Protein backbone atom coordinates (compact mmCIF):
# COMPACT_ATOMS: atom_id res chain seq x y z
CA UNK A 1 0.00 0.00 0.00
CA UNK A 2 2.83 2.42 0.86
CA UNK A 3 4.46 1.74 -2.51
CA UNK A 4 1.14 2.43 -4.27
CA UNK A 5 0.72 5.70 -2.40
CA UNK A 6 4.26 6.82 -3.21
CA UNK A 7 3.86 5.85 -6.85
CA UNK A 8 0.51 7.59 -7.11
CA UNK A 9 1.78 10.75 -5.46
CA UNK A 10 4.65 10.79 -7.98
CA UNK A 11 2.08 10.39 -10.72
CA UNK A 12 0.03 13.24 -9.28
CA UNK A 13 3.15 15.37 -9.06
CA UNK A 14 3.65 14.78 -12.76
CA UNK A 15 0.03 15.55 -13.55
CA UNK A 16 0.10 18.76 -11.56
CA UNK A 17 3.31 20.02 -13.12
CA UNK A 18 2.40 19.46 -16.77
CA UNK A 19 -0.09 21.76 -18.40
CA UNK A 20 -0.56 24.28 -21.13
CA UNK A 21 2.41 26.57 -21.65
CA UNK A 22 0.09 29.55 -21.16
CA UNK A 23 -0.39 28.51 -17.53
CA UNK A 24 3.31 28.07 -16.77
CA UNK A 25 4.54 30.26 -13.95
CA UNK A 26 1.07 31.35 -12.88
CA UNK A 27 -0.04 31.10 -9.29
CA UNK A 28 -3.15 28.97 -9.76
CA UNK A 29 -5.73 28.09 -7.11
CA UNK A 30 -6.24 24.41 -6.25
CA UNK A 31 -9.53 24.49 -8.20
CA UNK A 32 -7.50 24.70 -11.42
CA UNK A 33 -6.42 21.08 -10.82
CA UNK A 34 -9.86 19.62 -10.13
CA UNK A 35 -10.82 16.97 -12.63
CA UNK A 36 -10.26 13.37 -13.68
CA UNK A 37 -6.93 12.05 -14.91
CA UNK A 38 -6.07 8.68 -16.43
CA UNK A 39 -2.77 7.17 -17.41
CA UNK A 40 -0.55 4.17 -17.24
CA UNK A 41 3.02 3.11 -16.84
CA UNK A 42 5.46 0.45 -15.77
CA UNK A 43 6.28 0.11 -12.07
CA UNK A 44 9.82 -0.95 -11.24
CA UNK A 45 12.21 -0.67 -8.32
CA UNK A 46 15.69 -1.76 -7.23
CA UNK A 47 14.54 -5.41 -7.18
CA UNK A 48 13.21 -5.35 -10.76
CA UNK A 49 16.41 -7.04 -11.92
CA UNK A 50 15.35 -10.12 -9.94
CA UNK A 51 11.57 -9.74 -9.96
CA UNK A 52 9.13 -8.77 -12.67
CA UNK A 53 8.06 -5.23 -13.39
CA UNK A 54 4.33 -4.54 -13.45
CA UNK A 55 2.10 -2.68 -15.88
CA UNK A 56 -0.27 -0.31 -14.11
CA UNK A 57 -3.11 1.97 -15.11
CA UNK A 58 -4.34 4.83 -12.94
CA UNK A 59 -7.57 6.74 -12.65
CA UNK A 60 -7.28 9.79 -10.41
CA UNK A 61 -9.96 12.29 -9.44
CA UNK A 62 -9.20 15.57 -7.65
CA UNK A 63 -12.24 17.39 -6.22
CA UNK A 64 -13.24 19.95 -3.59
CA UNK A 65 -13.44 18.90 0.07
CA UNK A 66 -14.25 21.76 2.40
CA UNK A 67 -11.39 24.30 2.24
CA UNK A 68 -9.08 21.64 0.78
CA UNK A 69 -9.34 18.86 -1.75
CA UNK A 70 -9.86 15.13 -2.04
CA UNK A 71 -7.80 12.76 -4.18
CA UNK A 72 -9.37 9.42 -5.14
CA UNK A 73 -7.39 6.94 -7.18
CA UNK A 74 -7.59 3.43 -8.47
CA UNK A 75 -4.57 1.48 -9.62
CA UNK A 76 -5.06 -1.50 -11.93
CA UNK A 77 -2.06 -3.82 -11.71
CA UNK A 78 -1.36 -6.47 -14.34
CA UNK A 79 1.24 -9.02 -13.38
CA UNK A 80 1.65 -12.61 -14.45
CA UNK A 81 -0.89 -14.90 -16.03
CA UNK A 82 -1.03 -15.32 -19.79
CA UNK A 83 -1.70 -12.78 -22.55
CA UNK A 84 -5.19 -14.25 -22.93
CA UNK A 85 -5.85 -14.25 -19.18
CA UNK A 86 -3.58 -11.85 -17.26
CA UNK A 87 -3.76 -11.63 -13.48
CA UNK A 88 -5.33 -8.29 -12.60
CA UNK A 89 -5.56 -6.61 -9.18
CA UNK A 90 -7.33 -3.35 -8.36
CA UNK A 91 -6.39 -1.09 -5.47
CA UNK A 92 -8.27 2.05 -4.54
CA UNK A 93 -7.54 4.75 -2.01
CA UNK A 94 -8.65 8.25 -1.05
CA UNK A 95 -6.98 11.14 0.74
CA UNK A 96 -8.34 14.46 1.94
CA UNK A 97 -5.84 17.30 2.16
CA UNK A 98 -6.40 20.63 3.91
CA UNK A 99 -4.48 23.93 3.81
CA UNK A 100 -1.64 24.25 6.34
CA UNK A 101 -1.41 28.03 6.51
CA UNK A 102 1.69 27.92 4.29
CA UNK A 103 0.98 29.09 0.72
CA UNK A 104 0.19 26.14 -1.60
CA UNK A 105 0.99 23.48 1.05
CA UNK A 106 -1.63 20.93 2.10
CA UNK A 107 -1.60 18.28 4.84
CA UNK A 108 -3.44 14.95 4.79
CA UNK A 109 -6.17 14.74 7.42
CA UNK A 110 -5.11 11.18 8.35
CA UNK A 111 -1.38 11.89 8.13
CA UNK A 112 0.83 10.47 10.86
CA UNK A 113 4.42 10.53 12.06
CA UNK A 114 6.67 8.61 9.63
CA UNK A 115 9.27 8.19 12.39
CA UNK A 116 6.66 6.17 14.28
CA UNK A 117 5.97 4.01 11.22
CA UNK A 118 2.85 5.95 10.23
CA UNK A 119 1.95 7.13 6.77
CA UNK A 120 2.60 10.80 6.00
CA UNK A 121 0.58 12.61 3.34
CA UNK A 122 1.12 16.17 2.10
CA UNK A 123 1.09 18.13 -1.15
CA UNK A 124 2.76 21.26 -2.48
CA UNK A 125 1.27 22.87 -5.55
Amino acid sequence: MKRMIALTMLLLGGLLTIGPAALAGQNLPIEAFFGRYSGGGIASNEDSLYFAVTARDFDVTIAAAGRGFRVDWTSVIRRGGTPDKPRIRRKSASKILMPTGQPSVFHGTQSGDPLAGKEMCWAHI
Side-chain angles (χ1 to χ4, degrees):
M1 183 67 156
K2 289 181 185 178
R3 214 185 263 175
M4 182 179 88
I5 291 169
L7 185 61
T8 303
M9 294 314 272
L10 286 174
L11 171 75
L12 285 175
L15 288 173
L16 296 178
T17 58
I18 56 177
L23 298 179
Q26 290 186 18
N27 215 1
L28 299 173
I30 185 61
E31 293 82 10
F33 300 99
F34 290 173
R36 184 161 187 223
Y37 302 91
S38 296
I42 303 294
S44 64
N45 62 32
E46 64 275 358
D47 294 327
S48 293
L49 179 63
Y50 307 105
F51 300 101
V53 296
T54 57
R56 296 177 183 225
D57 292 325
F58 293 97
D59 286 315
V60 179
T61 301
I62 304 172
R67 292 186 18 225
F69 63 98
R70 177 185 181 105
V71 180
D72 299 309
W73 69 90
T74 298
S75 177
V76 178
I77 305 162
R78 290 179 203 81
R79 183 175 182 178
T82 65
D84 293 338
K85 195 170 185 177
R87 276 189 253 146
I88 297 174
R89 285 184 315 172
R90 295 176 85 77
K91 290 186 177 183
S92 295
S94 295
K95 296 289 176 193
I96 295 176
L97 294 102
M98 292 294 173
T100 62
Q102 301 273 338
S104 303
V105 177
F106 298 83
H107 185 266
T109 57
Q110 299 294 312
S111 191
D113 181 358
L115 297 176
K118 303 294 181 185
E119 176 184 287
M120 184 170 125
C121 179
W122 65 276
H124 179 262
I125 299 176

